Amino acid sequence: MSIITFENVQYKHILRGITGGFTEGKITTLVGPSGAGKSTCLKQMNGLISPDGGRVYYRGEDLEQLDLVELRKKIGMAFQSAPMLPGTVGDNLSLPKTIFHETLATDEANRLLGLVDLHVDLNQPVKELSGGERSRLAIARTLVNRPDVLLLDEITSSLDFRMVKEIEQLIQRLQRELQVTVIWITHDLDQARRVSEDVWFLKDGQLLEQGNVSLLEPDGARSDIQAFLKGELS
Ligand SMILES: Nc1ncnc2c1ncn2[C@@H]1O[C@H](COP(=O)(O)OP(=O)(O)O)[C@@H](O)[C@H]1O
Ligand SMILES: [Mg+2]
């Protein structure tokens, strides 16, 4: 069953009638050339932007009808640059609480650091963290409100390969342990094959294919996907 569903979603000239769904409890990757509309799709899913036409549903309810504060607690989001505030690990981890004028208990903060295998002190300045540690902190931060869905936008693109593999394993473990639905934008097709069961292939604001990740096998793919696989579309 789909936890998030798009019904003919249009947005400016960027999304041109997207219809599809994301299966609850799975990892789905969003792939396609740069400028295809992947990030714009992701922003529709937690109400950062709204469709000009069509609808987005969360568990069968139109996002336009939902309380955005409650929705954003159900849907955690992380970006490539893992933007951090100046201050401590604790300050950064608490952010999804403090923006709602709530507090994050110290026990809970430490539990979250443990969950992502980040062994640093809550009082440590965030500027002392390595790139990999920041990524883990950014992931822990998406989990603060115990979301049902994680939206990840190119979260490993600035990491070296060893770290990329570690973050992939972490996300896969979290998906299993927390039974969270993961929707993950990546430009790395090998990463899509490694981590996801399902894939959405976007190009020019259209969803050209959705389904099992085997769609990315060179023999099975349709010609425009094959061109992308061969690097003819970047
Ligand atoms: N707020 C915006 N207003 C106008 N154009 C935008 C906006 N955001 C993104 N775009 C354009 O929309 C297209 C799709 O962007 P994006 O969703 O970021 O693609 P992707 O993540 O697949 O690279 C790009 O051509 C981008 O320049
Ligand atoms: Mg993008």
Side-chain angles (χ1 to χ4, degrees), residues 38-39 153-154 185:
K38 303 180 297 294
S39 296
D153 195 346
E154 311 250 13
I185 295 178

Side-chain angles (χ1 to χ4, degrees), residues 51-69:
D52 296 330
R55 291 179 200 285
V56 181
Y57 298 93
Y58 171 76
R59 295 190 184 283
E61 292 194 74
D62 186 346
L63 243 60
E64 301 284 312
Q65 309 298 323
L66 293 175
D67 177 349
L68 274 187
V69 168

Side-chain angles (χ1 to χ4, degrees), residues 177-214:
E177 288 180 3
L178 308 176
Q179 305 195 331
V180 71
T181 305
V182 178
I183 301 171
W184 190 342
I185 295 178
T186 177
H187 64 263
D188 177 349
L189 293 165
D190 289 324
Q191 178 167 70
R193 293 187 188 98
R194 283 193 299 269
V195 302
S196 62
E197 226 176 308
D198 283 355
V199 65
W200 271 31
F201 182 88
L202 282 130
K203 184 174 170 248
D204 297 334
Q206 293 181 297
L207 179 58
L208 296 188
E209 282 284 7
Q210 59 176 312
N212 189 273
V213 75
S214 62

